[in-house]
Each structure stands twice: as C-alpha cells, then as structure tokens.
Amino acid sequence: MVNPRMLQLGTNRSCIRELFEYGMRRAAELGPDKVCDFSLGNPSVPSPAGVGETICRLVRESESRALHGYTPAAGAADARAAVAADLNARYGADVQPGELFFTCGAAPALTAALSALAVEGAECLIFAPFFPEYTVFAEAAGMRPVVVPANTEDFQIRAADAAPLLSARTQAVIVNSPNNPSGVIYSEERLRELAALLEEKEREYGHPIYLIADEPYRELVYDGARVPFIPLLYADTLLCYSWSKSLSLPGERIGYVYVPRRAADGEKVFAAVAGAARAAGHVCAPSLMQHVIANCAALRPDIEAYDRNRRTLYEALCSYGYECVRPQGAFYLLIRSPKGSAQEFSDRAKAKDLLIVPCGDFGCPDYLRLGTCVSYETVLRSLPIFKELIEEA
Ligand code: PLP
C-alpha cells in the first residue's frame, strides 16, 4: 500500500515539467535550434563570476571538514551574519543573524514556514496568479489553501479582494513579488493596504495572521523598480528567500526563512520553523553553498540579458496584438490567450514547437506564461511563430 495523495503527486506531473520534458525530447529529435522552449524558470545567465571564483578558492583553501561537514541546523554563523548585514545595509532593517534559518532553497523555506503555522483547521490565503506548488505545500502542511482571484486589471494585489476570504481560521497569507508568473512587483501602497487589513483582522480574531513573503526574484527588477522590504511594512512577516534565481544557483539548493523576533510569538515561530524543517528531514542547508553565501551575499546578478528578452518579447507581442502584462521583475511574461482556452493555444503553439505554459494551475486560466530566461536567439526565432499563431487565431 502507498499513500494515495503522495502517489497522485508523484504521478501527475506538473504541466510545466511535462512541457519541458517534451521540449527536451523534441530538441533531441530535431536539434535544439528547432524548439522554442519557454516552459521553465531555469536561469539562463551564468552565476556572477565571484561565485565560481569563491567556490574554487574555498575548495582549494578550506579544510574538508570545515567546508563539507554538517553545520548547525539553522546555518553557519558567518553565512547568517553576512546575509543579515547585507539586508540591513540595503533596507535599513534590523535583521539579526539569529533570525535567519538557512534552507535548501525557497521551496523548503515555504514548506517549513507553512508547517510551522499549520494549526488544526488552518487556512492559507494565496493571491492569484501564484506559483502552483503553493497549493501542494499548503495541503501537505495541513492547511486549506484559499485563493484570492487574480486582479486582471493590473495584476496588483487588492486588500478588498482578500477581505471577504479572511476568517478566524486564516493563519497565513502568501504574497510573491516580483511575481511568478506575472512579473509584477506589488507596490508599497498595495502592501500597506493589505498590512492594515491584516492588522485589523488580527485584532478582530485575537490571533496573529502571518504574511509569508516569497521572494526568490527580489533582485531581478528592471527600469530601476524597487521591491518593498515587507518585514518593514508588516511586523508579522516571514520572509522566504533563495539564491536559485538571483545567483543562478537553482540546483545548489540554498535559501533561508527570516523570522523577525518582533513578529508575534517570533521566538516560538522560529523554533517551529526549525521543528518543521527537522520533521521534513532537514539536517542543514548545503555547507559549501552556505560558505559561498558568506562570501557572496552582496553580489548581484547581471540582468541585462533578461531585460533585453523582456523588452523584445513584450514590444513585439504587443505589436502583433497580444494582450501582455508588462513585467517589472522576474523573468516571465504573462499573455492572454488571444482565442480559445489557454490550453488550446498552448497546444497550437506546441504543434509549432513553441512551448508556453497555460496558467490554469497558476490560478489564471485565460493566460499563458513564457519563461523568458532563454537565449536571445530563441526569442528572435519565436517571434514569427507568435505572429503566425495570432494571425491564425
Ligand atoms: N517560489 C517561486 C515564486 C518560484 O518561482 C520558485 C521556483 O521557481 C520557488 C519558490 C522555488 O524556488 P527554489 O528553487 O529556491 O526552491
């Protein structure tokens, strides 16, 4: 006998993974230059040079046990100190090293945060469009996900849309900005409105409601846009972060949860995050990567290539008549299906070896997502296909 829910999760592949694997098979059959694969959010720019240099230096110069051995479960002291110092320098925050819990990327940061808050009957609000794994993570933690429908006017969050869905069962609200799949950065004004609503509801229900800020794209922003530092706007924030995208290290699995001590029951929540990570089999985040972060916390990615893809695709697709959401950050472009369902449009594109993801699982069923972290050649090759598709539509 196997756990049926786990069997289902392991058998029903996500549509992103399915498209990506299809793309790999087609590329092997036809040649990689015949497939335009926009399915995945795998960074296409190399890690900043300092990352590779640091890895080489650490491997050359460090004693093996210090470099590859277990670290404390919450993380190595120097890595925690380097991240706290970087956040404080950038945001004028007061992050203490002891408030950071290192994880194997943002996904385990989210599962630990959700499990830490999953009391009996708990609900978790999720703003659409959202990273599809949120519902998987919330349910696995024992929380019921409650989706706030997408605001398709400008894809910003609206407190008024969340208000009727909050209840005494609400333990957490997840926000992701810059957003996957829309690329929108939630404005400080909208976040303040949400914070005011949550503060009011905390008073009404007599318990904290935690805002889980999922921010793996925080450094991927364009045109000088600013990403508000949410813990400064709302005290009961748990911030989940990873270097998967910002330092192009998704396979190395390194990130953290920041639980401010000043958050309601902050010390207990931090301990529960540690407990949830422990229960999930976390021993420590990869030690070599923690040492890399201790040395590279202040490095930023070179996003010129993402920006060029973003501008080229946005301008071209708009000129062909597509309705596109203008991305301010991350490396995605959200487009509305010009005709028929998003699944039908994705299938028609697939028949031309153009792979774009229908966004039903993101809570945005009329839209499709392009992962724009691809080569510029792929962008240029895709343009006539996009034109053909809308002209046929
Ligand atoms: N959150 C969002 C919004 C993402 O897009 C992703 C990955 O694509 C994750 C979390 C998971 O990131 P990680 O690879 O660090 O686990």
Side-chain angles (χ1 to χ4, degrees), residues 60-142:
R60 245 191 349 260
E61 294 174 6
S62 311
E63 189 255 321
S64 173
R65 200 177 139 101
L67 189 59
H68 301 301
Y70 294 128
T71 71
D78 57 350
R80 297 167 90 193
V83 172
D86 180 57
L87 290 172
N88 294 340
R90 287 160 73 192
Y91 300 110
D94 182 27
V95 179
Q96 300 301 313
E99 297 171 322
L100 299 168
F101 188 95
F102 271 67
T103 59
C104 302
L110 287 159
T111 57
L114 288 163
S115 298
L117 303 175
V119 296
E120 186 75 34
E123 291 182 351
C124 166
L125 239 66
I126 301 172
F127 283 91
F130 54 83
F131 180 52
E133 296 300 273
Y134 291 164
T135 55
V136 176
F137 297 163
E139 281 168 3

Side-chain angles (χ1 to χ4, degrees), residues 282-298:
H282 169 95
V283 176
C284 62
S287 172
L288 171 59
M289 283 303 125
Q290 291 192 51
H291 289 100
V292 169
I293 296 305
N295 286 273
C296 300

